Each structure stands twice: as C-alpha cells, then as structure tokens.
C-alpha cells in the first residue's frame, strides 16, 4: 500500500503512527514485541515521533535491520543512531540488540546473531526499512557476493555478513527471509530519485534488490514517500 505526502515530516509522523499501532497490537496479544529499524538519515524524524508513542517500551525489543562493523559509539554506527534518536524519552526503556562485537570477526558475529535473533519475540511486529538509490534495503546491496542468499525468501539464514563497494566497512544484515517474518513492513523513502527507483522496482526491474521485497507476499509492505 502506498502513502504519499507533501512533506517529510508528514510522512515520518504517519509512518511512526503505523509502527506504534503495530507494536500496540502485538503487545495487546503477547507479553513482548520486536521492532526492526533501519539506519541512515531518513528515519530520524520518524524515530523522534515514535519515541513519544504511548507504548510500554519496557516490553519492546529493538534491533537494527543492518549495521556497519564499527563500535556502537562510532559515528557510522546504526546502533548509535538508534540509541540517540529512538531510544530516548519513553522509548529509552526498550531493549536494543546490538550487532557489533569487537572480540570476534564479522562473520562469527553474523553466525551468533543468526541464533540470537531466533530468541527475540518473533515474528517482528514491524520492520522499518529504507532504500538506497541503487535499490538496496537493509545491507542487501546489488554488488554483494551473497546477495542471492540474502534475498532467498525460503532460506533458513536470518543474518549475513556483507561486503560492498558502497561502504568502507563490512556490514551485517538481516536477510529478506528474516525481514519478511514481520506482521508488516514500513518502507520509508524520500526524494524524486528514490521515487523513480521505487516505481521501477514496483514494475519488476530485477536490477534492484528492493524489487524482491516488494514482490514477496509474506509481509505486507506499506510505502511512505515524500519529496
């Protein structure tokens, strides 16, 4: 379903409300709920609105859709972004599953995370994702050697290490198989260029990883866009 707005503030607020509703629905039916969130600059306003949502955040587990292999206090870390912009106010009581562990390799951490994720409240109440102008979502980049595994909807793998020319850092990402195990997915995108990529992906252009996200039927995708 598509939700197009005139301003990024409007789109962000609407996306935050949808995520809050998804969390509230889960929490009304079980003790705890999980929320997957993206990094980058796009979700900042959404996070700010969501942090004020009237939710029992102490019952919510938050995990990144992906992260760069850098310490949690690093400026390039999605963990830092989430802690500073989402896990504030009432949402400070939520529990964050951090990806980085400097004591082991990125490949080893991806393997341990693959197991840890299976013990968080599952399926996820909602996954908030962004999209790049190359059509990537999470860290499922077009040039990743293991992209096919990451996009395999029937794979048993929930988490993968990723290397891409688009980033100086190795990354860890949730797979499409993991993300699709969400009650719903919110895809928040801004700008004319990304709108063009989205329209091409929606039409089935296979060069874009996000095409596979839009075409899967396991989790409904709600697109929120503003110029």
């Amino acid at each position: 379903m598509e939700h197009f707005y005139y301003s990024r503030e409007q789109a962000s607020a609407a996306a935050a409300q949808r995520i809050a509703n998804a969390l509230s629905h889960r929490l009304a039916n079980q003790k705890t709920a999980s929320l997957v969130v993206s990094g980058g600059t796009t979700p900042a306003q959404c996070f700010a609105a969501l942090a004020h949502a009237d939710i029992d955040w102490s019952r919510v587990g938050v995990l990144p859709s992906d992260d760069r292999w850098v310490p949690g206090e690093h400026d390039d870390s999605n963990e830092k972004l989430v802690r500073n912009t989402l896990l504030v106010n009432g949402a400070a009581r939520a529990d964050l599953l951090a990806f980085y562990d400097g004591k082991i390799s990125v490949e080893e951490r991806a393997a341990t995370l693959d197991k840890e994720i299976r013990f968080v409240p599952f399926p996820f109440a909602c996954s908030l994702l962004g999209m790049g102008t190359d059509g990537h979502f999470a860290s499922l980049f077009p040039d990743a050697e293991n992209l096919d595994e990451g996009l395999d909807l029937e794979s048993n793998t929930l988490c993968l290490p990723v290397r891409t020319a688009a980033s100086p850092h190795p990354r860890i990402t949730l797979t499409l198989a993991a993300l699709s195990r969400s009650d719903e997915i919110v895809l928040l995108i801004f700008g004319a260029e990304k709108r063009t990529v989205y329209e091409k992906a929606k039409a089935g252009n296979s060069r874009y990883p996000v095409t596979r996200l839009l075409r899967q039927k396991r989790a409904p995708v709600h697109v929120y866009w503003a110029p």
Side-chain angles (χ1 to χ4, degrees):
M1 186 173 293
E2 297 174 333
H3 311 266
F4 297 156
Y5 292 86
Y6 290 109
S7 76
R8 297 184 181 191
E9 185 177 7
Q10 288 176 318
S12 297
Q17 186 60 59
R18 178 157 213 104
I19 295 165
N21 291 344
L23 285 170
S24 296
H25 178 75
R26 269 281 162 187
L27 292 173
N29 292 282
Q30 62 188 43
K31 291 182 178 179
T32 55
S34 294
L35 170 65
V36 175
V37 294
S38 63
T41 57
T42 299
Q45 287 183 303
C46 180
F47 286 165
L50 189 57
H52 289 92
D54 185 16
I55 293 170
D56 185 354
W57 286 99
S58 66
R59 297 163 58 199
V60 176
V62 177
L63 64 157
S65 61
D66 61 309
D67 209 345
R68 299 169 185 85
W69 192 242
V70 294
E73 64 275 9
H74 194 286
D75 286 344
D76 290 339
S77 169
N78 287 344
E79 177 186 341
K80 180 178 181 178
L81 172 75
V82 172
R83 289 192 187 279
N84 290 347
T85 58
L86 175 59
L87 302 188
V88 295
N89 301 310
R93 295 176 295 157
D95 181 52
L96 177 65
L97 176 59
F99 280 14
Y100 182 78
D101 183 346
K103 298 177 182 177
I104 57 179
S105 69
V106 63
E107 288 80 12
E108 289 170 323
R109 182 57 178 144
T112 60
L113 269 173
D114 193 272
K115 297 180 176 65
E116 290 176 24
I117 291 168
R118 299 171 198 271
F119 291 95
V120 304
F122 213 59
F124 309 126
C126 187
S127 289
L128 169 64
L129 301 176
M131 182 194 75
T133 54
D134 60 357
H136 84 268
F137 64 97
S139 279
L140 297 170
F141 286 84
D143 67 339
E145 290 186 3
N146 52 358
L147 180 63
D148 287 344
E149 183 179 6
L151 293 177
D152 182 358
L153 200 60
E154 304 307 321
S155 174
N156 290 321
T157 302
L158 303 182
C159 191
L160 285 174
V162 171
R163 297 179 189 274
T164 169
S167 172
H169 308 292
R171 293 175 176 236
I172 290 182
T173 187
L174 299 186
T175 62
L176 179 57
L179 294 167
S180 66
R181 289 178 171 85
S182 304
D183 289 344
E184 56 187 82
I185 293 170
V186 170
L187 182 63
L188 182 62
I189 52 178
F190 296 148
E193 187 176 7
K194 289 186 179 181
R195 174 70 180 270
T196 298
V197 172
Y198 164 69
E199 294 294 346
K200 290 179 179 178
K202 185 175 69 170
N205 191 320
S206 61
R207 66 179 285 198
Y208 300 120
V210 74
T211 299
R212 299 281 286 276
L213 173 71
L214 297 173
R215 297 227 149 180
Q216 58 78 36
K217 303 298 183 185
R218 186 179 289 159
V221 179
H222 296 270
V223 179
Y224 287 78
W225 175 85

